[in-house]
Amino acid sequence: MVNVTKKNFIEQSNDLIQHLSEAAFVAIDEEMTGIQMGRLRKDDTPAERYASSKQFPERYSIIQVGICLFLPNPEYSHEHNMAAEYLVRRYNFYLFPPSGDDVTREVTLNASSIEFLNQHGMDFNMWTREGVPYVTMDMANTLERKYETQTQKELQENTSRNSTLRDPTRRRITLTKESDVQFHARAMASLREWIDRSIQGSPSLLLPACNRFLRRALYETIELEYPALILENAGSEYRDQIRVWRLSDEEKVQRKERLARQAWETLVMNVGFTRVFMALSNANKGLKQVNSTILARSVEQVDVSAKVEFEPIGRRVPIICHNGLMDILFLLTHIVSHKLPEKYHDAKAMIHETFPLVYDTKILATECSDQRIVGDNTVLGTLFDRFVINDLEFLMDRNFEVVNASGSDPDQKHEASYDAFMTGAVFVALARRIQEEEGLLAISLCDIFSSDYDVITKDLFGRNKLFLMLTLYTIDLENATEDPLRRGLSPTSTYRVSGIDPAITTSDIIRCLSNLVDQVLEQQVRFEIVWVDDRTFLVAARTQDDDDTLQRHGELIHMALRRRFACEDIFTLDQYLQATAAAEEARQRTEESGGGMWSSFFGGLFGYGKHKRKSEEWDGMNGEPSAKRRRHDWTGDDAA
């Protein structure tokens, strides 16, 4: 692992950009100054959750971005697998907003988040002192154009300078004030005295400070009389002064190269982490930006006269995250726009446009894996320990070799690059289990990710689906208008029960439903319980079988709920969502006239908006809810 700061940013970002197109996939993770999301409503739709949570990536800041490139090892083979299958390059970027009058992003700290990161060894001194800056994409493009314009201007000035100096029609400054004439004479006398000294003398001379008018007069006289000398502004340390250089031809070439390199490095450092973001987004789209001043690996590769173009790299490089919605939204608020779109579907489009190929290991674990994984703890650290570290059939050293480790940084959970490594390793481990089950082990993940396997990657690996914490929904980035319920659930076989006695517990509901049996298939009915508040819960029929089976199980659950909760309100989730939409439309129509009858009517009928919610509370750190009532997935084994 390499900590990337201002000191080594150009070197390490060059290393990342150089190897990016070779990667089978890229895993990312972030640590932030805060991500407290308060009390979450577990019956939120994705649009409702987005509306209540978009403020957090807009308010808080990224401290670290961990990026891991997983590159196929050319020495690895299935027959002779002594070599690791993947060579891993780990980068731990510290990010800190740039200082300046035009900076609009402030740093806000959440006390509990900072305490959590302190406990896990976060180096806040490195973050504040050496953190790499970042700018929006629009600002990066502005800085790039400014650099290219200035470079082209200097080239043109160097080409025409000699002819211009000797142009008899050029209007020159004439000094008339006696004090100006005397100052000019003294400055030129000191210059001539310096020139007459031994060649071993100082290679530069600092002329006396003066106003802009006199500096222009000195520039004209010296460039005309001594064209071999080099003149430059003496810099902020010596304001209003000219520095004169006496250099050999070789030294002039070296100086020109040094200044060009410094100008380009200043551009790259001002753009900062946005450079890495641009490269990631391009690779994720299967593209490489050619003739880009920002993405060039050295000033020697810069050609400001060339047109920037995009070339295909042959394949898209997937982005892998774990429960990664917030990670992506934080990146967007730092690099694309400080304010996210107001509408949820516009935010989905922004994500998909920026990163069109994403896999979420939380989706892989909760929706795509076998029941032993789906029904168990799917926190990243637990998955890593269980299926990477402690799985004897999946030996970590046989699969991964970190090739850019510094040797001095211990592996630490909740350090962004190590969490990114865990994310990538878990992805490989879980994907391999799916490959084995589906008879796809002979095909590498690189090949599976190719366009020939689009159907496979969507169905088996959850391509472009993001986990939405503590809801029944999965975000589908490829569907612009809708998001499905999690796999195995249906809105017509999920029931919302409201107006219950607050003394009712999860055990009461399980007793009501645990004896249900599908007589057609002679199997017990599986279901999932989700508490909304103390007087409202959801029950969803859950099966991996066909839709007819799911609907049949839903009807059995509905009849059992009706027997137990005869006086309470019971509606399908589909009915509830339609009523919610109708109430919102009615509210908007009647708001101007001061009405509110229809919204109140629908709310009373379908049981929303009546009670204070006591939902799960998530702190964004350990990925688990903290309230006592949690989602319960009934498989039938619980009866034992």
Side-chain angles (χ1 to χ4, degrees):
M1 184 272 292
V2 177
N3 281 323
V4 184
T5 64
K6 291 177 181 177
K7 294 179 180 179
N8 62 351
F9 172 72
I10 293 179
E11 172 192 354
Q12 292 302 322
S13 60
N14 276 347
D15 186 78
L16 185 151
I17 292 170
Q18 178 183 352
H19 293 94
L20 185 55
S21 61
E22 307 165 12
F25 58 88
V26 179
I28 65 170
D29 187 79
E30 297 164 27
E31 302 297 335
M32 304 88 157
T33 62
I35 193 174
Q36 293 287 357
M37 300 180 66
R39 296 191 178 277
L40 301 178
R41 292 176 45 168
K42 293 185 289 297
D43 62 342
D44 274 348
T45 64
E48 290 170 334
R49 178 62 59 81
Y50 172 77
S52 64
S53 60
K54 68 183 285 289
Q55 60 179 306
F56 301 107
E58 292 174 343
R59 178 183 182 187
Y60 294 111
S61 299
I62 297 174
I63 298 177
Q64 291 178 346
V65 178
I67 300 176
C68 282
L69 309 186
F70 286 75
L71 294 88
N73 187 351
E75 298 181 4
Y76 172 84
S77 68
H78 288 289
E79 295 77 16
H80 306 285
N81 57 0
M82 295 300 293
E85 183 174 0
Y86 292 98
L87 303 178
V88 183
R89 307 188 77 84
R90 281 174 54 187
Y91 309 87
N92 195 50
F93 289 88
Y94 280 86
L95 267 59
F96 197 79
S99 59
D101 296 336
D102 57 343
V103 175
T104 58
R105 193 177 192 99
E106 297 180 347
V107 176
T108 302
L109 308 180
N110 177 273
S112 62
S113 298
I114 298 304
E115 180 183 10
F116 177 88
L117 294 174
N118 260 325
Q119 293 170 354
H120 290 84
M122 177 63 69
D123 190 338
F124 289 102
N125 284 330
M126 183 176 291
W127 171 51
T128 56
R129 295 174 182 173
E130 296 295 332
V132 176
Y134 51 86
V135 295
T136 63
M137 293 286 288
D138 288 343
M139 178 57 71
N141 292 331
T142 298
L143 293 172
E144 185 176 38
R145 287 194 299 269
K146 182 177 179 181
Y147 166 87
E148 292 172 350
T149 300
Q150 181 63 29
T151 302
Q152 290 176 329
K153 180 181 177 182
E154 291 174 357
L155 289 173
Q156 294 170 356
E157 287 177 349
N158 291 336
T159 302
S160 60
R161 174 169 293 175
N162 289 336
S163 59
T164 301
L165 288 174
R166 289 167 174 77
D167 184 359
T169 63
R170 182 189 180 198
R171 184 177 180 181
R172 303 183 186 280
I173 287 179
T174 301
L175 300 178
T176 57
K177 290 177 60 175
E178 183 62 25
S179 59
D180 291 345
V181 172
Q182 292 179 1
F183 174 86
H184 184 273
R186 290 194 301 271
M188 292 302 298
S190 65
L191 174 66
R192 295 184 184 98
E193 181 181 354
W194 172 72
I195 292 173
D196 292 340
R197 291 177 192 163
S198 169
I199 195 65
Q200 283 79 26
S202 172
S204 70
L205 171 69
L206 199 61
L207 295 179
C210 57
N211 59 38
R212 182 180 300 178
F213 179 74
L214 287 172
R215 288 200 302 276
R216 180 180 171 185
L218 287 171
Y219 265 105
E220 290 182 352
T221 303
I222 296 171
E223 287 178 335
L224 184 62
E225 295 184 14
Y226 303 100
L229 297 178
I230 295 175
L231 308 180
E232 67 180 17
N233 187 299
S236 58
E237 188 176 354
Y238 302 98
R239 295 179 61 85
D240 302 329
Q241 291 183 260
I242 300 173
R243 185 176 294 279
V244 185
W245 290 92
R246 177 176 52 191
L247 303 174
S248 65
D249 291 342
E250 182 180 356
E251 289 172 333
K252 289 179 181 179
V253 172
Q254 292 174 350
R255 176 181 178 276
K256 181 179 178 181
E257 292 175 350
R258 173 177 57 82
L259 293 176
R261 184 175 63 256
Q262 288 176 349
W264 175 78
E265 290 178 351
T266 298
L267 168 69
V268 171
M269 288 305 303
N270 286 338
V271 171
F273 183 78
T274 305
R275 181 189 199 220
V276 176
F277 181 94
M278 293 168 62
L280 286 175
S281 180
N282 288 339
N284 192 243
K285 298 172 183 176
L287 300 172
K288 178 174 67 173
Q289 206 165 343
V290 181
N291 300 325
S292 168
T293 299
I294 293 174
L295 295 178
R297 293 201 295 271
S298 68
V299 69
E300 287 76 21
Q301 294 184 350
V302 174
D303 183 356
V304 296
S305 62
K307 181 181 179 181
V308 177
E309 297 178 343
F310 290 92
E311 292 183 354
I313 59 176
R315 50 180 293 275
R316 296 183 296 174
V317 180
I319 297 289
I320 314 298
C321 56
H322 182 83
N323 197 10
L325 175 62
M326 277 296 159
D327 291 310
I328 294 175
L329 291 180
F330 265 82
L331 283 176
L332 294 181
T333 61
H334 284 57
I335 309 299
V336 178
S337 171
H338 294 321
K339 291 293 183 181
L340 292 169
E342 289 299 321
K343 295 182 179 179
Y344 165 68
H345 295 302
D346 292 337
K348 276 181 66 174
M350 178 186 284
I351 294 173
H352 195 48
E353 180 182 356
T354 306
F355 297 118
L357 185 58
V358 177
Y359 291 89
D360 190 334
T361 51
K362 191 78 171 178
I363 292 291
L364 205 64
T366 58
E367 295 199 18
C368 303
S369 297
D370 57 68
Q371 189 56 43
R372 188 165 68 95
I373 300 174
V374 170
D376 208 337
N377 190 335
T378 56
V379 171
L380 177 61
T382 301
L383 291 172
F384 182 75
D385 292 341
R386 185 179 175 190
F387 297 106
V388 178
I389 297 294
N390 298 323
D391 190 334
L392 296 180
E393 295 183 5
F394 187 92
L395 298 177
M396 187 171 73
D397 292 341
R398 189 182 68 192
N399 287 279
F400 310 109
E401 178 186 353
V402 180
V403 295
N404 67 336
S406 64
S408 60
D409 299 298
D411 293 334
Q412 172 70 54
K413 292 180 180 178
H414 303 293
E415 180 252 36
S417 75
Y418 189 65
D419 283 2
F421 170 70
M422 289 197 298
T423 298
V426 166
F427 179 74
V428 173
L430 297 184
R432 187 166 297 170
R433 294 170 68 91
I434 297 172
Q435 286 179 273
E436 184 175 10
E437 184 177 341
E438 299 293 331
L440 298 172
L441 278 177
I443 308 174
S444 71
L445 286 180
C446 264
D447 291 335
I448 287 176
F449 289 143
S450 71
S451 58
D452 295 337
Y453 295 93
D454 273 357
V455 176
I456 292 178
T457 55
K458 183 71 172 180
D459 294 340
L460 296 184
F461 300 97
R463 185 189 70 235
N464 287 326
K465 292 184 177 180
L466 294 176
F467 188 79
L468 191 58
M469 176 67 68
L470 293 174
T471 74
L472 296 173
Y473 293 90
T474 293
I475 295 176
D476 186 352
L477 297 175
E478 294 182 10
N479 190 324
T481 58
E482 297 179 354
D483 292 298
L485 293 179
R486 293 199 318 278
R487 182 171 293 185
L489 302 180
S490 166
T492 58
S493 57
T494 299
Y495 297 91
R496 192 177 195 275
V497 184
S498 59
I500 66 171
D501 185 340
I504 293 294
T505 67
T506 301
S507 297
D508 295 325
I509 304 170
I510 291 175
R511 281 193 292 270
C512 164
L513 304 174
S514 59
N515 293 324
L516 298 179
V517 176
D518 181 352
Q519 299 297 336
V520 177
L521 298 178
E522 297 184 349
Q523 64 177 218
Q524 199 160 21
V525 173
R526 292 180 55 217
F527 55 87
E528 184 171 339
I529 301 169
V530 177
W531 283 95
V532 177
D533 56 48
D534 282 349
R535 301 191 64 182
T536 307
F537 65 87
L538 302 172
V539 176
R542 187 178 183 90
T543 179
Q544 299 296 332
D545 295 325
D546 56 75
D547 292 341
D548 290 340
T549 300
L550 186 62
Q551 198 64 37
R552 191 167 59 251
H553 288 191
E555 292 170 357
L556 292 172
I557 290 172
H558 184 225
M559 288 188 292
L561 289 173
R562 277 295 180 198
R563 289 193 296 269
R564 174 62 179 83
F565 301 100
C567 299
E568 287 76 13
D569 298 324
I570 303 176
F571 298 96
T572 66
L573 183 61
D574 188 49
Q575 291 172 325
Y576 171 75
L577 293 176
Q578 290 185 35
T580 303
E584 177 61 20
E585 291 178 6
R587 184 193 64 80
Q588 292 178 357
R589 287 196 303 267
T590 60
E591 194 172 49
E592 292 184 1
S593 62
M597 176 185 66
W598 288 110
S599 179
S600 299
F601 170 75
F602 282 116
L605 178 61
F606 288 93
Y608 58 83
K610 297 197 302 182
H611 308 292
K612 180 179 179 181
R613 298 185 181 273
K614 297 181 179 179
S615 302
E616 313 279 18
E617 186 167 353
W618 181 56
D619 63 8
M621 291 300 173
N622 58 18
E624 287 297 306
S626 59
K628 66 178 182 179
R629 277 180 169 169
R630 303 192 179 191
R631 176 182 292 129
H632 189 91
D633 193 0
W634 172 265
T635 64
D637 298 332
D638 296 1

